[in-house]
Amino acid sequence: MAAKRKKFGSSSRHNLFAYGLLFPSFIFLTLFTFYPTLKSFQLSFYSGPMTRLQFSGMDQYKEVFSDEIFRKVILNNILFMIGTVPTSLFLAMYLAIWLNKKMAGSSLLRTSFFYPTIIPLIAVANIWLFIYTPQYGLLDNFLHLFGRGDTSWLGNPNTVMIAMIFMIIWKDTGFYMIFYLAGLQNLPRDVYEAAEIEGAKPFQMFRHITFPLLMPTTLFVMIVAITNSFKNVDHLYIMTKGGPDNASNLLLYHIYEAAFTNWDLGKAAVLTVVLIVIMLSITAFNYLYLDRKIHY
Amino acid sequence: MKKLNYGIIIILGIISFIPLLWVFITSFSPGNQVIKGGFPFWVSNPTLENYVKAWETAPFIQYYFNTFVIVFGVLIVQLITITLAAYAFARLNFKGKHVLFILFLLQLMIQPEILLFPNYQVISQLGLVNTKLAVMMPYWASAFGVFLMRQTFKQVPYDLDEASRIDGCKWYQTLWHVYIPSAKPTYIAFALVSVSHHWSNFMWPLIITDSVDSRPLTVGLALFAQSYETGAQWGMVAAGTVMVIMPLVIAFFIFQKQFVSSFMHSGIK
């Protein structure tokens, strides 16, 4: 009996000790993750100014979902994701496979592909703004060589998204490449040797060995890339402000506009909830669906 | 086939390098040359005038100082919070461990970046709008860091932990003498990722700061660039951009291996 009590006493002290260690992290998680998440949900059902909030049920959701700009922004974000994710993943895998082999200059090339990762997106936006400037910009300068006239890459709703997508592919591919390089290092060598003895061609080896074995890397990088396509919007502030006519606007930037340019708090809360739900579904999809599929 | 692929990769490598080269060259070009045209990768009479003017127009020293304070202020507190939490998750058994772990996991999905709007409300309720503290605080807990350190601490042999206890070490002594030294590479990896991430951070400091005293470099650069959108001042904006990215680029070229392996490390679950 005494022994049992002693054990109980020490284990509850043990618990307290562990909670104490978690406490510092927990304060900031509560303040800046849990509370704001719940607050967004709550605010999304209330309208009016901060001091005189009134319960309005689903009204603000209805308003947002029937807003044409909102639909456009969501569509843009999906387009942006489709434009950036597969291409940069494919390029990253392609580069990694060839740069994994020892050859003169491969480390120089790796540097050239990786350095955009560490440059702040806002600085990237400054640089690419010059590149895309009509007439004087680097791109138009280059296209003049082929007799093409001036193009307003960022001023035209038809080209602005492509211009953004191209820039983000440039920025992120090198980052994804290093995950593939790491993945390639872990592939079993004997499988390739066996395949070579069997007389497999390089492309067959890629299709039947490399590609399937890199699947876990691909899925991991894909989740990172999809998340990035919703999270990184800094460049819009410098390059287009979401324009022209919302043609390049993305969800997080739209939240910024709603909350800090138009001071429409209810709308900002609804939009934040939408973004939170998107983020949670991406992760849920990853854990519940993909994680089960990749264990072969 | 092999030659073709390497050819493609070399061309892509050159394309990838061009933006950096170009902003660098433009930053040394006299103001009128950009408009006049000519070969964009050559400056016949390079000048430092753009840097001097940029330096005079915007308080870059203050911005540098702010960014340094913010980046290291975030890192130091993170190192403390993640070490303690990671130790608890790696080596202690306690009630609700699983639930707490999942709660931590939540921050990986709902990152502070997407909570711009509600976090602004929190900071304003705390009365901290327009302070460096406000820029740092949302990042003081790092679920990513906790997971990274937890994985590392788990690999420390439990015997070492027990031996140090038998020698009479208190838990913090064990942590300090056994766990922290053996996790040094992970700490370096985390530090590099954290510093470069917060050096680049933009949207959050943009909304939460409103004065020269608290604004980091990225926000300072954006405001500076916006006041000169015409081609004639390209040289100055390019100089400002180079000033912001140079510390990162130089650090990257010196510690390249470390950087690459750190970013790689950061992605392995």
Side-chain angles (χ1 to χ4, degrees):
Chain A
M1 194 63 187
K4 205 175 175 189
R5 193 179 299 145
K6 194 182 166 201
K7 199 178 165 199
F8 178 72
S10 81
S11 88
S12 87
R13 240 201 5 241
H14 204 74
N15 282 346
L16 278 182
F17 173 53
Y19 299 151
L21 292 175
L22 296 180
F23 186 68
S25 291
F26 217 77
I27 308 173
F28 298 111
L29 284 179
T30 307
L31 274 176
F32 298 105
T33 303
F34 309 144
Y35 173 73
T37 301
L38 296 174
K39 186 85 185 164
S40 307
F41 275 94
Q42 188 211 3
L43 271 179
S44 69
F45 296 110
Y46 286 84
S47 63
M50 222 37 189
T51 43
R52 281 176 288 114
L53 286 174
Q54 275 186 327
F55 184 76
S56 59
M58 297 298 286
D59 286 1
Q60 290 185 116
Y61 282 91
K62 278 182 203 145
E63 211 172 295
V64 166
F65 287 133
S66 60
D67 181 12
E68 245 173 78
I69 296 176
F70 170 75
R71 289 189 201 163
K72 194 168 188 177
V73 166
I74 292 287
L75 194 69
N76 280 345
N77 225 145
I78 292 169
L79 273 176
F80 185 65
M81 180 180 82
I82 295 173
T84 52
V85 179
T87 315
S88 51
L89 257 67
F90 168 78
L91 260 179
M93 191 194 284
Y94 172 72
L95 294 174
I97 286 172
W98 288 93
L99 293 177
N100 192 36
K101 295 164 184 153
K102 292 241 181 313
M103 71 154 191
S106 70
S107 81
L108 201 69
L109 283 166
R110 272 187 239 173
T111 308
S112 174
F113 290 119
F114 184 72
Y115 86 88
T117 299
I118 55 145
I119 296 184
L121 186 50
I122 199 75
V124 165
N126 269 336
I127 301 172
W128 284 77
L129 186 66
F130 297 155
I131 292 178
Y132 287 138
T133 300
Q135 194 180 347
Y136 310 119
L138 193 59
L139 184 58
D140 265 5
N141 250 317
F142 177 71
L143 291 175
H144 288 164
L145 298 179
F146 304 95
R148 231 194 110 122
D150 302 333
T151 315
S152 176
W153 298 99
L154 301 177
N156 183 335
N158 297 320
T159 52
V160 66
M161 198 47 115
I162 296 165
M164 297 287 170
I165 288 171
F166 191 81
M167 177 186 84
I168 295 295
I169 290 173
W170 169 80
K171 178 158 168 48
D172 286 346
T173 297
F175 180 52
Y176 306 144
M177 176 187 76
I178 61 166
F179 295 112
Y180 279 115
L181 283 170
L184 286 168
Q185 303 279 318
N186 296 329
L187 296 190
R189 227 153 250 272
D190 44 348
V191 179
Y192 286 92
E193 278 160 16
E196 217 159 291
I197 292 165
E198 297 285 323
K201 295 205 174 69
F203 186 73
Q204 286 177 316
M205 287 211 243
F206 169 75
R207 229 195 104 192
H208 296 291
I209 306 173
T210 314
F211 186 77
L213 285 178
L214 282 177
M215 214 50 191
T217 312
T218 302
L219 295 176
F220 168 76
V221 175
M222 188 177 83
I223 295 296
V224 174
I226 293 174
T227 313
N228 277 350
S229 69
F230 284 95
K231 209 177 71 180
N232 298 338
V233 298
D234 306 357
H235 56 284
L236 296 179
Y237 183 82
I238 283 282
M239 298 177 91
T240 63
K241 301 269 183 207
D245 192 23
N246 287 305
S248 64
N249 211 347
L250 301 175
L251 183 53
L252 185 56
Y253 194 80
H254 193 47
I255 293 178
Y256 162 77
E257 287 178 326
F260 303 103
T261 339
N262 307 327
W263 296 98
D264 190 341
L265 304 184
K267 188 177 172 191
V270 172
L271 293 172
T272 302
V273 169
V274 172
L275 187 52
I276 290 172
V277 169
I278 291 174
M279 290 314 220
L280 290 176
S281 350
I282 294 169
T283 330
F285 175 67
N286 179 26
Y287 282 97
L288 300 177
Y289 181 70
L290 294 181
D291 252 16
R292 289 204 186 138
K293 287 206 97 178
I294 57 172
H295 295 297
Y296 36 84
Chain B
M1 191 63 191
K2 204 170 170 181
K3 277 194 180 138
L4 176 73
N5 279 302
Y6 281 128
I8 294 173
I9 285 173
I10 288 167
I11 291 169
L12 289 176
I14 292 169
I15 293 174
S16 183
F17 185 63
I18 282 176
L20 183 67
L21 182 70
W22 192 53
V23 73
F24 201 68
I25 290 170
T26 308
S27 72
F28 291 105
S29 311
N32 55 354
Q33 187 177 326
V34 183
I35 301 287
K36 271 195 327 216
F39 186 61
F41 294 105
W42 181 253
V43 195
S44 42
N45 40 349
T47 166
L48 281 173
E49 166 198 15
N50 294 319
Y51 284 90
V52 176
K53 272 206 226 152
W55 196 261
E56 280 169 355
T57 327
F60 276 104
I61 294 193
Q62 179 71 39
Y63 293 155
Y64 264 111
F65 172 75
N66 296 342
T67 289
F68 266 101
V69 171
I70 290 165
V71 163
F72 289 102
V74 168
L75 179 65
I76 288 164
V77 179
Q78 276 182 338
L79 289 179
I80 297 168
T81 59
I82 67 171
T83 302
L84 297 178
Y87 178 68
F89 280 128
R91 280 293 139 92
L92 301 175
N93 278 314
F94 50 91
K95 235 188 192 154
K97 185 174 177 176
H98 205 69
V99 176
L100 283 167
F101 198 67
I102 290 172
L103 282 177
F104 270 67
L105 207 106
L106 213 59
Q107 198 210 23
L108 286 183
M109 311 173 198
I110 309 171
Q111 293 170 12
E113 276 82 3
I114 67 166
L115 295 172
L116 284 179
F117 159 69
N119 274 345
Y120 182 88
Q121 311 269 339
V122 174
I123 289 290
S124 86
Q125 276 166 7
L126 293 172
L128 289 172
V129 174
N130 195 19
T131 59
K132 290 197 263 300
L133 213 56
V135 183
M136 298 184 247
M137 276 172 80
Y139 302 97
W140 275 350
S142 166
F144 160 64
V146 172
F147 293 124
L148 208 60
M149 294 321 298
R150 172 179 162 267
Q151 290 306 103
T152 315
F153 285 171
K154 273 188 157 180
Q155 280 152 24
V156 173
Y158 202 73
D159 299 347
L160 275 179
D161 183 312
E162 272 186 340
S164 78
R165 270 160 206 276
I166 290 165
D167 285 346
C169 281
K170 292 257 187 304
W171 67 271
Y172 49 86
Q173 289 168 318
T174 309
L175 197 57
W176 186 256
H177 292 295
V178 177
Y179 285 91
I180 293 177
S182 62
K184 210 172 143 196
T186 315
Y187 278 113
I188 292 173
F190 177 76
L192 280 177
V193 173
S194 169
V195 165
S196 61
H197 185 82
H198 290 104
W199 189 289
S200 306
N201 198 3
F202 175 71
M203 287 308 273
W204 173 246
L206 172 73
I207 60 161
I208 208 70
T209 62
D210 194 26
S211 69
V212 172
D213 295 326
S214 50
R215 210 173 270 150
L217 266 175
T218 46
V219 179
L221 174 68
L223 298 181
F224 173 72
Q226 286 212 314
S227 43
Y228 300 101
E229 266 184 9
T230 54
Q233 271 89 15
W234 270 11
M236 260 172 85
V237 177
T241 307
V242 170
M243 285 195 283
V244 172
I245 65 177
M246 253 330 155
L248 287 171
V249 171
I250 290 171
F252 170 65
F253 280 110
I254 297 173
F255 303 109
Q256 195 180 341
K257 279 222 172 91
Q258 205 86 51
F259 258 100
V260 172
S261 73
S262 299
F263 276 79
M264 219 146 81
H265 215 101
S266 73
I268 294 162
K269 287 193 280 185

